[in-house]
Amino acid sequence: MKRFFVTNLFFLLTLNILIKSFWILGIDREVQNALSADVYGMYYALFNFTYLFNIILDFGITNYNNRTIAQHTQLLKKYFARIVPLKFALAAIYFVIILIVGAFLGYSSYQIKLLSWMCITQVLQSFISYLRSNITSLMLFKTDSVISVLDRSLLIVFCGIFLWNDSLRAIFTIDHFVYIQTLTMFITFLVALIVCLSKTRLLKLKWNFAFNLHILKDGLPYALLGLLMACYNRMDSVMLLALVEDNGVSSGIYASGFRLVDSANMVAYLFSVILLPLIAKMIKENQRINAVVGAAFHLLLIITLGFVAVSICYSTELMELLYNKHIDESAKVYRILSFCFIPISMTYIFGTVLTANGSLKYLNLVAGLGMLMNIGLNFILIPLFKENGAAITSLITQSVTAILQAWLALKIFKIRFEWRYCLKILIFIALVALIAFGILCLDYNWIFKVLITLFLIVVASFITKIFSIKDIKALIS
């Protein structure tokens, strides 16, 4: 299971890093550079606003389905035929509520128009997530890996046509960006649907009120968790737009600082894509999960510390590489937010373990605390420090929730760390800090220093036996 997890994970990571790195550096940053900070800030706040209501779209169905089908694959056809009509009904409710709340908040007719297209995109994304949950539940991780990067690959092509042509770039607007997102998401939806139908065959969709009520009831804890986590993960930019009267500039700067962190978070998220069905299956079969959790923890530890070390030392250079405005402000936000990658990564491991175990009560209590902390701290810190206040709030909230989730997972599964193991982790962290700041003092090009730093961090992981040659041989043999 450990080898199965890591080999599929590396395939998934390789595809996503290649495609999404090109998306970030070649397309996404160019979209923000082509638009003013206030326009992109408005879009970013509206985009996160649509995320806050994703509980209505999904209602916990995706995570519930992923765990259930992984443990009972024979239920796939029955559930598929009944869940699809239910998701259409939820999509209609979501669309109406988003527009009503948007109008109540005083959004202009133009913003409502953008919201409408973003709603369609979110509906398609929700369907794709559900379809992918079936694919991963069947352990078809390589197929899921290809689908996971399909929308970004198409976005690179379509947005590139506009951004890499001077005459088309001059007329490029945020409207074009929103329309292209909807188109690429629709194409990805069709591909994911075809893959699922190849496993279920063409089924007659059934509306079953009793079944729907059962699914919604069982999915409610997952839905509540999704809502609470969305609030403390996506509320920052929405509250910036509401509390700072600068026409979205602060929100745009926050988006600039958050972009690389959000992209790095996708790497951690990919761990959970494989971990959730895999651990759920192992728990059902009474297998010990320590080896798989340990492998995920060690790999993410290397990735997170490398990312944070580079982010702290070269934040300004990275922002200059990505953007052409608000460099210093974005770099300051980015330095704070980069630390969030550590607790977020731990959440994707230990939170996923708790989800696979069905420990939703504990997860919801932790997420509820996180939401209250996030909203309360944002009300205090955003008026004082604007985008930096939102970044500090995010770091505090993510750290507290990650520590609580890790403690719960270790306690429930009786996973104990010996003092020698803890000392090894502390030594590795100290080595990473020494490497990062030591290389920073060298008089070389900053990109060359980044590559040296990352290489030496990997070497340090072998020296401290966080990772070993023996592990690599065991995984590829």
Side-chain angles (χ1 to χ4, degrees), residues 56-286:
I56 302 167
L57 265 182
D58 185 68
F59 218 82
I61 292 172
T62 297
N63 280 333
Y64 172 77
N65 183 74
N66 202 338
R67 179 172 180 263
T68 302
I69 301 302
Q71 295 181 333
H72 309 282
T73 54
Q74 72 276 9
L75 295 176
L76 174 60
K77 292 184 178 180
K78 175 186 176 182
Y79 274 46
F80 189 84
R82 290 165 172 79
I83 287 178
V84 170
L86 174 59
K87 285 194 68 68
F88 273 113
L90 293 174
I93 296 171
Y94 167 82
F95 197 94
V96 171
I97 290 178
I98 281 281
L99 296 185
I100 290 175
V101 175
F104 177 77
L105 292 175
Y107 288 154
S108 65
S109 58
Y110 173 68
Q111 290 173 326
I112 292 294
K113 184 190 77 170
L114 286 183
L115 269 180
S116 299
W117 283 99
M118 290 181 190
C119 283
I120 296 171
T121 304
Q122 291 288 5
V123 167
L124 292 169
Q125 176 64 62
S126 176
F127 269 99
I128 292 167
S129 296
Y130 166 68
L131 295 172
R132 287 182 59 195
S133 74
N134 290 305
I135 295 168
T136 56
S137 295
L138 296 174
M139 305 295 156
L140 301 174
F141 294 122
K142 288 184 172 62
T143 302
D144 177 70
S145 298
V146 175
I147 295 174
S148 73
V149 298
L150 182 57
D151 66 312
R152 288 291 186 270
S153 302
L154 294 170
L155 275 169
I156 289 171
V157 174
F158 294 144
C159 287
I161 293 173
F162 278 92
L163 297 172
W164 300 332
N165 183 296
D166 291 338
S167 59
L168 291 177
R169 184 187 176 100
I171 63 170
F172 183 75
T173 65
I174 197 65
D175 301 67
H176 293 114
F177 187 49
V178 171
Y179 300 152
I180 291 171
Q181 283 181 312
T182 304
L183 174 62
T184 56
M185 203 64 75
F186 179 69
I187 296 171
T188 305
F189 161 74
L190 289 179
V191 172
L193 180 62
I194 291 170
V195 172
C196 280
L197 290 178
S198 70
K199 301 300 176 182
T200 62
R201 300 187 182 258
L202 192 61
L203 298 173
K204 183 179 179 180
L205 301 181
K206 300 178 181 178
W207 179 267
N208 187 311
F209 182 79
F211 177 84
N212 292 344
L213 193 62
H214 167 72
I215 288 292
L216 293 176
K217 181 181 177 182
D218 286 350
L220 181 60
Y222 298 91
L224 181 59
L225 178 63
L227 173 64
L228 296 173
M229 291 185 70
C231 283
Y232 73 75
N233 283 324
R234 298 285 177 175
M235 186 69 75
D236 301 325
S237 62
V238 177
M239 292 188 71
L240 273 169
L241 188 65
L243 297 176
V244 181
E245 296 182 3
D246 60 1
N247 296 318
V249 173
S250 294
S251 182
I253 293 171
Y254 186 87
S256 299
F258 188 65
R259 174 164 286 108
L260 283 180
V261 180
D262 196 30
S263 302
N265 290 345
M266 287 302 299
V267 174
Y269 164 73
L270 295 174
F271 277 70
S272 70
V273 169
I274 296 179
L275 275 176
L276 180 57
L278 189 61
I279 291 180
K281 188 177 180 67
M282 293 175 71
I283 290 172
K284 182 177 183 294
E285 296 173 354
N286 293 318

Side-chain angles (χ1 to χ4, degrees), residues 417-425 427:
F417 294 138
E418 296 182 357
W419 70 269
R420 288 187 181 87
Y421 178 79
C422 296
L423 181 61
K424 181 172 70 172
I425 297 296
I427 291 172

Side-chain angles (χ1 to χ4, degrees), residues 311-373:
S311 298
I312 294 171
C313 294
Y314 309 100
S315 57
T316 301
E317 290 85 350
L318 287 166
M319 293 300 102
E320 287 175 343
L321 179 67
L322 293 175
Y323 309 114
N324 53 25
K325 49 184 176 288
H326 302 293
I327 302 299
D328 292 336
E329 297 93 333
S330 298
K332 189 172 182 179
V333 172
Y334 176 56
R335 281 193 293 272
I336 301 170
L337 288 174
S338 65
F339 280 102
C340 293
F341 187 43
I342 298 175
I344 289 172
S345 297
M346 296 305 102
T347 294
Y348 277 124
I349 293 179
F350 297 110
T352 299
V353 169
L354 292 171
T355 303
N357 191 53
S359 305
L360 275 300
K361 177 182 177 181
Y362 298 117
L363 281 172
N364 279 317
L365 287 173
V366 172
L369 174 63
M371 182 193 71
L372 293 175
M373 286 181 61

